[in-house]
Amino acid sequence: MERIELDEAMLQGQAEIWRYLYSFADSMALKCAVELRIADIIHSNGGPLTLSQIASCINGGLTSPDITTLARIMRLLIRRKIFTVHHPSDGGDLLYDLTHSSRWLLHDSEQTLVPMVLMENHPLQMAPWHYFSQCVKEGGFAFKKAHGCEIWDLASRNPDFNKLFNDGLACTSKFLTSVILSSYKQGLSSIGSLVDVGGGTGGLISEIVKKHPHIKGINFDLPHVVSTAPTYDGVSHIGGDLFHAIPNADAVILKWILHCWGDEDCIKILRNCKKAIPRENGKVIIVEIILKEDGSGVFDEIGFLLDLVMIAHANGKERTEAEWKKILEGGGFSHYKIINIPALASIIEAYPDA
């Protein structure tokens, strides 16, 4: 009996390795569905379609797609519950429909992950993953080992990649901003002025000021970034370097900024944040992932995957609460509270030491 149980366990272990070995196929099938706009085709029809009907709409009907290949790709995506399939009662062709997952693959939706699917699966983004073992042996950064420069440098000299990269970040920022506005109303209501550090072209701070017009908004980023920012009512654009000084305000917000940096750099940034806000009633609002080692929440596993993305594409890391506490204390913020919101990230409200 023990031998049989051991054999079953070994067999299960082998199956698990096979599954992880080919898990990249899930990403490639997902990218294929996005590039072919399969979710959009079904959505535009207003209901389920047969495979032949989907194929006839690919590329505007100008080509004759390989339906057999399409069927095989869709078969995996159905097994992954990205799409669903219905068996008509009259015995006709199978009907393919959307699920809650594939609705995030609609190109023109307000809530879409299409730009992230395309950005993260681009060959330039995939190459650094092949350098993880070198990073372990030698140290250094995977993206730089793959391309000879950091991601920001590559983006600055490759307009197509820059657009892909910016579109990817913008799409996730859009729905996270929406969640912040709906779930953090009380935290914003008492602020007179707010500076968004690393705010890009001002998308987040402009939406905050629109919802809370009493707030004086400051969008702070590198000079070449804010120089292209549009004008928003109630928002000032200021160029500078977060490692040198941050504009004064009642509060500072950092959305997905600190995970791009190592601990020492984060402490430098936080110390500059502390200088920028009043000691009484001042606060720093950090919007980041908090890793939970044994978490079973809907997004908890994604956090650990994104920590490896940080190895591949940046020089930073995702952090547990204990790791956040360490850098907060180093930056002069020994008091904080965590506010859970319905998103991949949480909000950490940190208050300056006296």
Side-chain angles (χ1 to χ4, degrees), residues 272-321:
N272 284 338
C273 290
K274 184 179 178 183
K275 292 175 187 175
I277 60 175
R279 304 232 174 218
E280 293 289 331
N281 302 318
K283 63 182 177 182
V284 172
I285 304 158
I286 299 167
V287 185
E288 291 277 6
I289 289 170
I290 300 173
L291 295 178
K292 298 179 179 68
E293 300 285 359
D294 55 354
S296 58
V298 65
F299 288 116
D300 284 339
E301 185 176 345
I302 311 303
F304 292 96
L305 299 176
L306 285 174
D307 187 41
L308 297 194
V309 172
M310 300 312 295
I311 296 175
H313 297 157
N315 306 333
K317 60 195 283 192
E318 306 297 349
R319 295 175 170 90
T320 63
E321 182 179 349

mmCIF file of all heavy atoms in Angstrom, residues 272-321:
data_model
loop_
_atom_site.group_PDB
_atom_site.id
_atom_site.type_symbol
_atom_site.label_atom_id
_atom_site.label_comp_id
_atom_site.label_asym_id
_atom_site.label_seq_id
_atom_site.Cartn_x
_atom_site.Cartn_y
_atom_site.Cartn_z
ATOM 1 N N ASN A 272 12.657 61.987 2.163
ATOM 2 C CA ASN A 272 12.290 63.214 1.450
ATOM 3 C C ASN A 272 10.797 63.481 1.551
ATOM 4 O O ASN A 272 10.368 64.640 1.608
ATOM 5 C CB ASN A 272 12.719 63.121 -0.015
ATOM 6 C CG ASN A 272 14.211 63.327 -0.205
ATOM 7 O OD1 ASN A 272 14.870 63.922 0.657
ATOM 8 N ND2 ASN A 272 14.753 62.840 -1.299
ATOM 9 N N CYS A 273 9.986 62.411 1.570
ATOM 10 C CA CYS A 273 8.543 62.589 1.776
ATOM 11 C C CYS A 273 8.274 63.197 3.146
ATOM 12 O O CYS A 273 7.410 64.075 3.298
ATOM 13 C CB CYS A 273 7.825 61.243 1.675
ATOM 14 S SG CYS A 273 7.760 60.544 0.012
ATOM 15 N N LYS A 274 9.000 62.715 4.157
ATOM 16 C CA LYS A 274 8.809 63.222 5.516
ATOM 17 C C LYS A 274 9.125 64.718 5.599
ATOM 18 O O LYS A 274 8.416 65.480 6.275
ATOM 19 C CB LYS A 274 9.691 62.439 6.488
ATOM 20 C CG LYS A 274 9.481 62.830 7.946
ATOM 21 C CD LYS A 274 10.349 62.012 8.873
ATOM 22 C CE LYS A 274 10.155 62.466 10.313
ATOM 23 N NZ LYS A 274 11.027 61.738 11.260
ATOM 24 N N LYS A 275 10.158 65.142 4.889
ATOM 25 C CA LYS A 275 10.517 66.571 4.877
ATOM 26 C C LYS A 275 9.444 67.411 4.200
ATOM 27 O O LYS A 275 9.296 68.598 4.492
ATOM 28 C CB LYS A 275 11.849 66.775 4.144
ATOM 29 C CG LYS A 275 13.056 66.196 4.851
ATOM 30 C CD LYS A 275 14.303 66.350 3.977
ATOM 31 C CE LYS A 275 15.509 65.631 4.592
ATOM 32 N NZ LYS A 275 16.685 65.683 3.674
ATOM 33 N N ALA A 276 8.695 66.796 3.284
ATOM 34 C CA ALA A 276 7.733 67.550 2.472
ATOM 35 C C ALA A 276 6.387 67.762 3.158
ATOM 36 O O ALA A 276 5.600 68.603 2.716
ATOM 37 C CB ALA A 276 7.521 66.837 1.135
ATOM 38 N N ILE A 277 6.099 66.991 4.202
ATOM 39 C CA ILE A 277 4.772 67.071 4.830
ATOM 40 C C ILE A 277 4.880 67.603 6.258
ATOM 41 O O ILE A 277 5.932 67.499 6.892
ATOM 42 C CB ILE A 277 4.082 65.683 4.853
ATOM 43 C CG1 ILE A 277 4.917 64.669 5.636
ATOM 44 C CG2 ILE A 277 3.832 65.192 3.433
ATOM 45 C CD1 ILE A 277 4.263 63.306 5.802
ATOM 46 N N PRO A 278 3.797 68.169 6.798
ATOM 47 C CA PRO A 278 3.828 68.661 8.185
ATOM 48 C C PRO A 278 3.915 67.516 9.184
ATOM 49 O O PRO A 278 3.414 66.417 8.928
ATOM 50 C CB PRO A 278 2.496 69.409 8.324
ATOM 51 C CG PRO A 278 1.621 68.860 7.261
ATOM 52 C CD PRO A 278 2.506 68.452 6.140
ATOM 53 N N ARG A 279 4.558 67.774 10.323
ATOM 54 C CA ARG A 279 4.682 66.731 11.352
ATOM 55 C C ARG A 279 3.337 66.422 11.986
ATOM 56 O O ARG A 279 3.082 65.302 12.402
ATOM 57 C CB ARG A 279 5.675 67.167 12.427
ATOM 58 C CG ARG A 279 7.047 67.530 11.899
ATOM 59 C CD ARG A 279 8.132 66.793 12.631
ATOM 60 N NE ARG A 279 9.439 67.061 12.010
ATOM 61 C CZ ARG A 279 10.356 66.154 11.887
ATOM 62 N NH1 ARG A 279 10.095 64.922 12.272
ATOM 63 N NH2 ARG A 279 11.514 66.430 11.360
ATOM 64 N N GLU A 280 2.475 67.433 12.068
ATOM 65 C CA GLU A 280 1.132 67.235 12.611
ATOM 66 C C GLU A 280 0.164 66.999 11.450
ATOM 67 O O GLU A 280 0.070 67.829 10.536
ATOM 68 C CB GLU A 280 0.695 68.470 13.402
ATOM 69 C CG GLU A 280 1.483 68.708 14.678
ATOM 70 C CD GLU A 280 1.174 67.683 15.752
ATOM 71 O OE1 GLU A 280 0.046 67.159 15.756
ATOM 72 O OE2 GLU A 280 2.069 67.393 16.566
ATOM 73 N N ASN A 281 -0.514 65.872 11.480
ATOM 74 C CA ASN A 281 -1.553 65.542 10.496
ATOM 75 C C ASN A 281 -1.031 65.278 9.082
ATOM 76 O O ASN A 281 -1.825 65.123 8.153
ATOM 77 C CB ASN A 281 -2.630 66.641 10.434
ATOM 78 C CG ASN A 281 -3.285 66.865 11.784
ATOM 79 O OD1 ASN A 281 -3.582 65.897 12.493
ATOM 80 N ND2 ASN A 281 -3.488 68.121 12.156
ATOM 81 N N GLY A 282 0.272 65.261 8.899
ATOM 82 C CA GLY A 282 0.816 64.900 7.598
ATOM 83 C C GLY A 282 0.802 63.384 7.418
ATOM 84 O O GLY A 282 0.810 62.634 8.395
ATOM 85 N N LYS A 283 0.765 62.933 6.181
ATOM 86 C CA LYS A 283 0.796 61.487 5.955
ATOM 87 C C LYS A 283 1.313 61.183 4.558
ATOM 88 O O LYS A 283 1.241 62.016 3.644
ATOM 89 C CB LYS A 283 -0.582 60.858 6.162
ATOM 90 C CG LYS A 283 -1.670 61.313 5.202
ATOM 91 C CD LYS A 283 -2.994 60.642 5.564
ATOM 92 C CE LYS A 283 -4.131 61.142 4.669
ATOM 93 N NZ LYS A 283 -5.429 60.534 5.045
ATOM 94 N N VAL A 284 1.810 59.952 4.423
ATOM 95 C CA VAL A 284 2.217 59.430 3.123
ATOM 96 C C VAL A 284 1.275 58.281 2.788
ATOM 97 O O VAL A 284 1.032 57.399 3.612
ATOM 98 C CB VAL A 284 3.678 58.944 3.141
ATOM 99 C CG1 VAL A 284 4.018 58.218 1.848
ATOM 100 C CG2 VAL A 284 4.625 60.119 3.340
ATOM 101 N N ILE A 285 0.732 58.325 1.582
ATOM 102 C CA ILE A 285 -0.217 57.306 1.121
ATOM 103 C C ILE A 285 0.516 56.432 0.103
ATOM 104 O O ILE A 285 0.866 56.896 -0.985
ATOM 105 C CB ILE A 285 -1.454 57.965 0.480
ATOM 106 C CG1 ILE A 285 -2.115 58.935 1.460
ATOM 107 C CG2 ILE A 285 -2.435 56.904 0.009
ATOM 108 C CD1 ILE A 285 -2.978 59.989 0.774
ATOM 109 N N ILE A 286 0.751 55.198 0.478
ATOM 110 C CA ILE A 286 1.495 54.272 -0.372
ATOM 111 C C ILE A 286 0.523 53.244 -0.943
ATOM 112 O O ILE A 286 -0.209 52.595 -0.195
ATOM 113 C CB ILE A 286 2.596 53.559 0.434
ATOM 114 C CG1 ILE A 286 3.588 54.598 0.991
ATOM 115 C CG2 ILE A 286 3.322 52.525 -0.422
ATOM 116 C CD1 ILE A 286 4.526 54.033 2.049
ATOM 117 N N VAL A 287 0.492 53.145 -2.255
ATOM 118 C CA VAL A 287 -0.390 52.176 -2.923
ATOM 119 C C VAL A 287 0.501 51.095 -3.530
ATOM 120 O O VAL A 287 1.168 51.312 -4.542
ATOM 121 C CB VAL A 287 -1.251 52.858 -4.004
ATOM 122 C CG1 VAL A 287 -2.242 51.851 -4.592
ATOM 123 C CG2 VAL A 287 -1.990 54.066 -3.438
ATOM 124 N N GLU A 288 0.531 49.943 -2.881
ATOM 125 C CA GLU A 288 1.449 48.874 -3.276
ATOM 126 C C GLU A 288 0.876 47.514 -2.891
ATOM 127 O O GLU A 288 -0.032 47.411 -2.050
ATOM 128 C CB GLU A 288 2.808 49.043 -2.574
ATOM 129 C CG GLU A 288 3.627 50.242 -3.021
ATOM 130 C CD GLU A 288 4.426 50.004 -4.287
ATOM 131 O OE1 GLU A 288 4.272 48.928 -4.904
ATOM 132 O OE2 GLU A 288 5.213 50.892 -4.655
ATOM 133 N N ILE A 289 1.457 46.484 -3.435
ATOM 134 C CA ILE A 289 1.144 45.109 -3.046
ATOM 135 C C ILE A 289 1.764 44.820 -1.679
ATOM 136 O O ILE A 289 2.878 45.265 -1.380
ATOM 137 C CB ILE A 289 1.687 44.122 -4.090
ATOM 138 C CG1 ILE A 289 0.869 44.200 -5.392
ATOM 139 C CG2 ILE A 289 1.705 42.694 -3.561
ATOM 140 C CD1 ILE A 289 1.471 43.433 -6.538
ATOM 141 N N ILE A 290 1.037 44.086 -0.842
ATOM 142 C CA ILE A 290 1.583 43.573 0.408
ATOM 143 C C ILE A 290 1.546 42.046 0.316
ATOM 144 O O ILE A 290 0.480 41.437 0.300
ATOM 145 C CB ILE A 290 0.786 44.058 1.633
ATOM 146 C CG1 ILE A 290 0.807 45.595 1.700
ATOM 147 C CG2 ILE A 290 1.366 43.467 2.913
ATOM 148 C CD1 ILE A 290 -0.073 46.179 2.772
ATOM 149 N N LEU A 291 2.703 41.447 0.207
ATOM 150 C CA LEU A 291 2.788 39.995 0.073
ATOM 151 C C LEU A 291 2.355 39.303 1.364
ATOM 152 O O LEU A 291 2.720 39.740 2.459
ATOM 153 C CB LEU A 291 4.218 39.575 -0.260
ATOM 154 C CG LEU A 291 4.795 40.017 -1.608
ATOM 155 C CD1 LEU A 291 6.240 39.545 -1.724
ATOM 156 C CD2 LEU A 291 3.975 39.482 -2.769
ATOM 157 N N LYS A 292 1.582 38.245 1.217
ATOM 158 C CA LYS A 292 1.172 37.429 2.363
ATOM 159 C C LYS A 292 1.663 36.009 2.098
ATOM 160 O O LYS A 292 1.194 35.342 1.165
ATOM 161 C CB LYS A 292 -0.347 37.457 2.522
ATOM 162 C CG LYS A 292 -0.908 38.856 2.790
ATOM 163 C CD LYS A 292 -2.427 38.808 2.916
ATOM 164 C CE LYS A 292 -3.010 40.188 3.197
ATOM 165 N NZ LYS A 292 -2.861 41.104 2.058
ATOM 166 N N GLU A 293 2.608 35.547 2.898
ATOM 167 C CA GLU A 293 3.271 34.256 2.665
ATOM 168 C C GLU A 293 2.277 33.109 2.531
ATOM 169 O O GLU A 293 2.451 32.211 1.711
ATOM 170 C CB GLU A 293 4.258 33.955 3.802
ATOM 171 C CG GLU A 293 5.371 34.983 3.956
ATOM 172 C CD GLU A 293 6.448 34.877 2.897
ATOM 173 O OE1 GLU A 293 6.349 33.984 2.028
ATOM 174 O OE2 GLU A 293 7.393 35.683 2.924
ATOM 175 N N ASP A 294 1.226 33.132 3.368
ATOM 176 C CA ASP A 294 0.245 32.046 3.324
ATOM 177 C C ASP A 294 -1.133 32.574 2.938
ATOM 178 O O ASP A 294 -2.159 31.993 3.291
ATOM 179 C CB ASP A 294 0.168 31.336 4.678
ATOM 180 C CG ASP A 294 -0.120 32.305 5.824
ATOM 181 O OD1 ASP A 294 -0.150 33.524 5.575
ATOM 182 O OD2 ASP A 294 -0.325 31.832 6.965
ATOM 183 N N GLY A 295 -1.162 33.683 2.219
ATOM 184 C CA GLY A 295 -2.426 34.310 1.851
ATOM 185 C C GLY A 295 -3.232 33.470 0.878
ATOM 186 O O GLY A 295 -2.677 32.784 0.018
ATOM 187 N N SER A 296 -4.540 33.535 1.031
ATOM 188 C CA SER A 296 -5.431 32.793 0.133
ATOM 189 C C SER A 296 -6.421 33.721 -0.552
ATOM 190 O O SER A 296 -7.427 33.278 -1.083
ATOM 191 C CB SER A 296 -6.188 31.707 0.917
ATOM 192 O OG SER A 296 -6.928 32.287 1.985
ATOM 193 N N GLY A 297 -6.129 35.028 -0.517
ATOM 194 C CA GLY A 297 -7.007 36.003 -1.162
ATOM 195 C C GLY A 297 -6.930 35.892 -2.678
ATOM 196 O O GLY A 297 -6.022 35.259 -3.234
ATOM 197 N N VAL A 298 -7.869 36.567 -3.346
ATOM 198 C CA VAL A 298 -7.996 36.436 -4.795
ATOM 199 C C VAL A 298 -6.734 36.891 -5.534
ATOM 200 O O VAL A 298 -6.399 36.371 -6.597
ATOM 201 C CB VAL A 298 -9.249 37.190 -5.286
ATOM 202 C CG1 VAL A 298 -9.139 38.692 -5.056
ATOM 203 C CG2 VAL A 298 -9.545 36.886 -6.750
ATOM 204 N N PHE A 299 -5.983 37.859 -4.966
ATOM 205 C CA PHE A 299 -4.798 38.375 -5.644
ATOM 206 C C PHE A 299 -3.478 37.927 -4.997
ATOM 207 O O PHE A 299 -2.408 38.307 -5.478
ATOM 208 C CB PHE A 299 -4.814 39.910 -5.657
ATOM 209 C CG PHE A 299 -5.832 40.505 -6.595
ATOM 210 C CD1 PHE A 299 -6.890 41.260 -6.108
ATOM 211 C CD2 PHE A 299 -5.742 40.315 -7.963
ATOM 212 C CE1 PHE A 299 -7.828 41.824 -6.966
ATOM 213 C CE2 PHE A 299 -6.671 40.868 -8.825
ATOM 214 C CZ PHE A 299 -7.715 41.624 -8.328
ATOM 215 N N ASP A 300 -3.539 37.169 -3.909
ATOM 216 C CA ASP A 300 -2.317 36.910 -3.138
ATOM 217 C C ASP A 300 -1.241 36.172 -3.935
ATOM 218 O O ASP A 300 -0.056 36.486 -3.822
ATOM 219 C CB ASP A 300 -2.653 36.134 -1.864
ATOM 220 C CG ASP A 300 -3.288 37.029 -0.802
ATOM 221 O OD1 ASP A 300 -3.094 38.259 -0.883
ATOM 222 O OD2 ASP A 300 -3.982 36.512 0.088
ATOM 223 N N GLU A 301 -1.633 35.203 -4.752
ATOM 224 C CA GLU A 301 -0.635 34.476 -5.539
ATOM 225 C C GLU A 301 0.000 35.378 -6.597
ATOM 226 O O GLU A 301 1.190 35.256 -6.905
ATOM 227 C CB GLU A 301 -1.273 33.259 -6.207
ATOM 228 C CG GLU A 301 -0.255 32.406 -6.949
ATOM 229 C CD GLU A 301 -0.848 31.136 -7.541
ATOM 230 O OE1 GLU A 301 -1.970 30.757 -7.150
ATOM 231 O OE2 GLU A 301 -0.192 30.548 -8.409
ATOM 232 N N ILE A 302 -0.792 36.322 -7.140
ATOM 233 C CA ILE A 302 -0.281 37.219 -8.187
ATOM 234 C C ILE A 302 0.868 38.064 -7.663
ATOM 235 O O ILE A 302 1.806 38.379 -8.394
ATOM 236 C CB ILE A 302 -1.415 38.137 -8.716
ATOM 237 C CG1 ILE A 302 -2.664 37.327 -9.060
ATOM 238 C CG2 ILE A 302 -0.941 38.926 -9.932
ATOM 239 C CD1 ILE A 302 -2.452 36.229 -10.059
ATOM 240 N N GLY A 303 0.795 38.431 -6.383
ATOM 241 C CA GLY A 303 1.858 39.248 -5.804
ATOM 242 C C GLY A 303 3.221 38.585 -5.913
ATOM 243 O O GLY A 303 4.228 39.250 -6.202
ATOM 244 N N PHE A 304 3.283 37.275 -5.704
ATOM 245 C CA PHE A 304 4.563 36.567 -5.772
ATOM 246 C C PHE A 304 5.060 36.455 -7.213
ATOM 247 O O PHE A 304 6.266 36.483 -7.464
ATOM 248 C CB PHE A 304 4.428 35.188 -5.137
ATOM 249 C CG PHE A 304 4.207 35.255 -3.649
ATOM 250 C CD1 PHE A 304 2.929 35.206 -3.125
ATOM 251 C CD2 PHE A 304 5.277 35.422 -2.786
ATOM 252 C CE1 PHE A 304 2.719 35.308 -1.759
ATOM 253 C CE2 PHE A 304 5.081 35.516 -1.417
ATOM 254 C CZ PHE A 304 3.798 35.461 -0.898
ATOM 255 N N LEU A 305 4.136 36.352 -8.160
ATOM 256 C CA LEU A 305 4.528 36.368 -9.568
ATOM 257 C C LEU A 305 5.088 37.737 -9.950
ATOM 258 O O LEU A 305 6.096 37.841 -10.641
ATOM 259 C CB LEU A 305 3.332 36.017 -10.453
ATOM 260 C CG LEU A 305 2.713 34.627 -10.248
ATOM 261 C CD1 LEU A 305 1.476 34.462 -11.128
ATOM 262 C CD2 LEU A 305 3.730 33.535 -10.569
ATOM 263 N N LEU A 306 4.431 38.789 -9.463
ATOM 264 C CA LEU A 306 4.893 40.139 -9.783
ATOM 265 C C LEU A 306 6.233 40.456 -9.119
ATOM 266 O O LEU A 306 6.994 41.283 -9.630
ATOM 267 C CB LEU A 306 3.836 41.168 -9.370
ATOM 268 C CG LEU A 306 2.625 41.228 -10.306
ATOM 269 C CD1 LEU A 306 1.550 42.157 -9.752
ATOM 270 C CD2 LEU A 306 3.033 41.698 -11.700
ATOM 271 N N ASP A 307 6.522 39.807 -8.010
ATOM 272 C CA ASP A 307 7.840 39.990 -7.410
ATOM 273 C C ASP A 307 8.926 39.504 -8.358
ATOM 274 O O ASP A 307 9.997 40.109 -8.467
ATOM 275 C CB ASP A 307 7.907 39.240 -6.080
ATOM 276 C CG ASP A 307 9.192 39.532 -5.322
ATOM 277 O OD1 ASP A 307 9.622 40.700 -5.305
ATOM 278 O OD2 ASP A 307 9.781 38.587 -4.759
ATOM 279 N N LEU A 308 8.649 38.417 -9.090
ATOM 280 C CA LEU A 308 9.616 37.939 -10.085
ATOM 281 C C LEU A 308 9.649 38.852 -11.305
ATOM 282 O O LEU A 308 10.690 38.997 -11.956
ATOM 283 C CB LEU A 308 9.296 36.501 -10.493
ATOM 284 C CG LEU A 308 9.381 35.443 -9.397
ATOM 285 C CD1 LEU A 308 9.389 34.044 -10.011
ATOM 286 C CD2 LEU A 308 10.603 35.625 -8.514
ATOM 287 N N VAL A 309 8.510 39.471 -11.630
ATOM 288 C CA VAL A 309 8.496 40.473 -12.705
ATOM 289 C C VAL A 309 9.445 41.612 -12.348
ATOM 290 O O VAL A 309 10.154 42.145 -13.211
ATOM 291 C CB VAL A 309 7.069 41.011 -12.939
ATOM 292 C CG1 VAL A 309 7.082 42.187 -13.918
ATOM 293 C CG2 VAL A 309 6.161 39.907 -13.480
ATOM 294 N N MET A 310 9.493 41.976 -11.065
ATOM 295 C CA MET A 310 10.394 43.045 -10.637
ATOM 296 C C MET A 310 11.855 42.633 -10.816
ATOM 297 O O MET A 310 12.712 43.467 -11.110
ATOM 298 C CB MET A 310 10.123 43.421 -9.180
ATOM 299 C CG MET A 310 8.710 43.913 -8.899
ATOM 300 S SD MET A 310 8.130 45.175 -10.063
ATOM 301 C CE MET A 310 9.244 46.522 -9.699
ATOM 302 N N ILE A 311 12.145 41.349 -10.648
ATOM 303 C CA ILE A 311 13.509 40.866 -10.930
ATOM 304 C C ILE A 311 13.800 40.977 -12.421
ATOM 305 O O ILE A 311 14.885 41.384 -12.834
ATOM 306 C CB ILE A 311 13.680 39.397 -10.482
ATOM 307 C CG1 ILE A 311 13.529 39.274 -8.969
ATOM 308 C CG2 ILE A 311 15.051 38.861 -10.920
ATOM 309 C CD1 ILE A 311 13.565 37.836 -8.470
ATOM 310 N N ALA A 312 12.811 40.636 -13.237
ATOM 311 C CA ALA A 312 13.009 40.625 -14.690
ATOM 312 C C ALA A 312 13.127 42.018 -15.281
ATOM 313 O O ALA A 312 13.934 42.259 -16.177
ATOM 314 C CB ALA A 312 11.857 39.870 -15.358
ATOM 315 N N HIS A 313 12.318 42.944 -14.787
ATOM 316 C CA HIS A 313 12.175 44.215 -15.508
ATOM 317 C C HIS A 313 12.639 45.449 -14.753
ATOM 318 O O HIS A 313 12.783 46.517 -15.344
ATOM 319 C CB HIS A 313 10.699 44.419 -15.897
ATOM 320 C CG HIS A 313 10.198 43.366 -16.828
ATOM 321 N ND1 HIS A 313 8.868 43.058 -16.965
ATOM 322 C CD2 HIS A 313 10.861 42.526 -17.666
ATOM 323 C CE1 HIS A 313 8.718 42.091 -17.848
ATOM 324 N NE2 HIS A 313 9.918 41.743 -18.286
ATOM 325 N N ALA A 314 12.833 45.350 -13.451
ATOM 326 C CA ALA A 314 13.225 46.537 -12.681
ATOM 327 C C ALA A 314 14.304 46.132 -11.680
ATOM 328 O O ALA A 314 14.850 45.034 -11.733
ATOM 329 C CB ALA A 314 12.004 47.127 -11.976
ATOM 330 N N ASN A 315 14.601 47.051 -10.774
ATOM 331 C CA ASN A 315 15.614 46.769 -9.759
ATOM 332 C C ASN A 315 14.976 46.719 -8.372
ATOM 333 O O ASN A 315 15.666 46.878 -7.367
ATOM 334 C CB ASN A 315 16.702 47.849 -9.787
ATOM 335 C CG ASN A 315 17.291 48.016 -11.167
ATOM 336 O OD1 ASN A 315 17.288 47.072 -11.961
ATOM 337 N ND2 ASN A 315 17.783 49.205 -11.483
ATOM 338 N N GLY A 316 13.661 46.530 -8.326
ATOM 339 C CA GLY A 316 12.943 46.601 -7.066
ATOM 340 C C GLY A 316 12.406 45.260 -6.623
ATOM 341 O O GLY A 316 12.896 44.201 -7.022
ATOM 342 N N LYS A 317 11.336 45.313 -5.790
ATOM 343 C CA LYS A 317 10.785 44.092 -5.209
ATOM 344 C C LYS A 317 9.393 44.367 -4.661
ATOM 345 O O LYS A 317 9.066 45.504 -4.305
ATOM 346 C CB LYS A 317 11.688 43.586 -4.076
ATOM 347 C CG LYS A 317 11.833 44.594 -2.943
ATOM 348 C CD LYS A 317 12.984 44.295 -1.999
ATOM 349 C CE LYS A 317 12.671 43.177 -1.048
ATOM 350 N NZ LYS A 317 13.694 43.085 0.044
ATOM 351 N N GLU A 318 8.564 43.326 -4.606
ATOM 352 C CA GLU A 318 7.333 43.388 -3.835
ATOM 353 C C GLU A 318 7.688 43.002 -2.406
ATOM 354 O O GLU A 318 8.652 42.272 -2.170
ATOM 355 C CB GLU A 318 6.279 42.450 -4.418
ATOM 356 C CG GLU A 318 5.986 42.650 -5.902
ATOM 357 C CD GLU A 318 5.408 44.013 -6.249
ATOM 358 O OE1 GLU A 318 5.020 44.767 -5.324
ATOM 359 O OE2 GLU A 318 5.358 44.333 -7.449
ATOM 360 N N ARG A 319 6.886 43.472 -1.427
ATOM 361 C CA ARG A 319 7.283 43.323 -0.024
ATOM 362 C C ARG A 319 6.156 42.786 0.854
ATOM 363 O O ARG A 319 4.987 43.060 0.614
ATOM 364 C CB ARG A 319 7.752 44.682 0.529
ATOM 365 C CG ARG A 319 9.020 45.212 -0.126
ATOM 366 C CD ARG A 319 9.370 46.610 0.371
ATOM 367 N NE ARG A 319 10.707 47.015 -0.072
ATOM 368 C CZ ARG A 319 10.955 47.649 -1.203
ATOM 369 N NH1 ARG A 319 9.964 47.969 -2.038
ATOM 370 N NH2 ARG A 319 12.196 47.971 -1.531
ATOM 371 N N THR A 320 6.560 42.057 1.883
ATOM 372 C CA THR A 320 5.640 41.646 2.935
ATOM 373 C C THR A 320 5.421 42.834 3.879
ATOM 374 O O THR A 320 6.141 43.841 3.810
ATOM 375 C CB THR A 320 6.219 40.484 3.754
ATOM 376 O OG1 THR A 320 7.425 40.937 4.401
ATOM 377 C CG2 THR A 320 6.551 39.291 2.868
ATOM 378 N N GLU A 321 4.447 42.699 4.782
ATOM 379 C CA GLU A 321 4.228 43.791 5.743
ATOM 380 C C GLU A 321 5.471 44.039 6.586
ATOM 381 O O GLU A 321 5.826 45.196 6.862
ATOM 382 C CB GLU A 321 3.037 43.482 6.653
ATOM 383 C CG GLU A 321 2.750 44.625 7.620
ATOM 384 C CD GLU A 321 1.554 44.393 8.530
ATOM 385 O OE1 GLU A 321 0.793 43.427 8.299
ATOM 386 O OE2 GLU A 321 1.377 45.183 9.481
#
